[in-house]
Amino acid sequence: MELYTINTGFFKLDGGAMFGVVPKTLWSRTNSADENNLCTWAMRCLLAVEGNRVVLIDNGIGDKQDAKFFSHYYLHGEDSLDKSLKHLGVLPTDITDMFLTHLHFDHCGGGVRYGSHGQYELTFPRATYWSNSDHWHWATKPNPREKASFLTENILPMQDHGVLKFIDLEKKSLFEGFDVITADGHTDKQMLPKMKYKGHTVVFMADLLPSVGHIPLPYVMGYDTRPLLTLSEKQAFLEEAAREKFVLFLEHDPVNECCTVKMTEKGVRLDQTFRLDEL
């Protein structure tokens, strides 16, 4: 398998919301905030190539919402989904599988775009778009807490165009060498790909671990629907990651692409940070 980082740009979110009950005096040591208490976050995706399969994991925020919507998130940076794919010589028609960890707008918005006639079109017209039935139900019948994160224009066109398929979570695999871990604390049945790469196990962390600043257990996002469940899921996963020396690919960390963790007297802590291409 070959893995490539796909940078789609940066956005800003409230630091307090990103770190929940942890006070700013602590979380600002790793993630500085601007005068409006907003921190910069990446929307870093991953391309996995295995034989004839070209799998894109998440696709960023997209560009089809209006100016008022984007004014809340302060998109910035030179990178975009299109630019990053073109840099690798990958066309939208080359993508065979669009794997969606979950359907919040900053993870799936780039998968649907406006067509030339003002209709919604698929960004990757030959791809199968993968979710799971539990999360799809959760996203299409949203609770009031998450409703603003599940945008129908990002989600329903996948079904309307007949490209949506659901992963069998009992098998927990898309194909051999591409396994799936589920986590329910952030949102119901979030999926984290787990892949073998150059003798390492790489896990795409999505929103179970947004950044290295979230490694200490109490550092749980205020966005999570079940924060105590996130805490227990994160603890179990990070302890395994430390034992097995997993490489953690970080979707939202504004600086660090990957990290490893280690056990210490204070629990699991950061070990090393590095780029994916340094493996």
Side-chain angles (χ1 to χ4, degrees), residues 149-209:
S149 293
F150 292 127
L151 306 181
T152 56
E153 63 267 30
N154 287 339
I155 299 172
L156 295 184
M158 294 184 277
Q159 186 178 61
D160 295 342
H161 284 78
V163 299
L164 178 68
K165 288 190 178 181
F166 295 144
I167 288 178
D168 183 348
L169 294 182
E170 291 187 3
K171 293 182 179 178
K172 296 185 177 180
S173 178
L174 181 60
F175 55 86
E176 186 175 354
F178 190 109
D179 296 328
V180 176
I181 301 168
T182 57
D184 297 309
H186 178 61
T187 188
D188 201 55
K189 292 297 180 290
Q190 178 182 203
M191 301 190 294
L192 313 180
K194 179 181 177 184
M195 297 154 285
K196 296 295 184 182
Y197 178 62
K198 294 185 176 181
H200 301 275
T201 297
V202 176
V203 182
F204 186 94
M205 293 309 301
D207 281 342
L208 179 60
L209 189 75

Side-chain angles (χ1 to χ4, degrees), residues 61-78:
I61 200 168
D63 60 5
K64 62 185 174 297
Q65 275 72 40
D66 59 22
K68 181 179 180 181
F69 175 86
F70 287 118
S71 71
H72 299 300
Y73 301 106
Y74 303 91
L75 272 63
H76 59 285
E78 298 299 318

Side-chain angles (χ1 to χ4, degrees), residues 89-120:
V90 176
L91 299 173
T93 51
D94 293 332
I95 304 299
T96 62
D97 299 89
M98 181 63 255
F99 183 95
L100 300 163
T101 61
H102 60 297
L103 297 172
H104 287 168
F105 63 82
D106 55 315
H107 295 257
C108 73
V112 175
R113 64 185 181 186
Y114 277 130
S116 56
H117 300 291
Q119 297 176 330
Y120 294 123

Side-chain angles (χ1 to χ4, degrees), residues 12-13 15 19 24 27-35 37-41 254:
K12 290 189 176 186
L13 293 172
F19 288 98
K24 183 178 181 180
W27 59 252
S28 61
R29 295 174 185 175
T30 57
N31 296 81
S32 60
D34 66 15
E35 65 277 6
N37 210 49
L38 299 173
C39 298
T40 289
W41 304 97

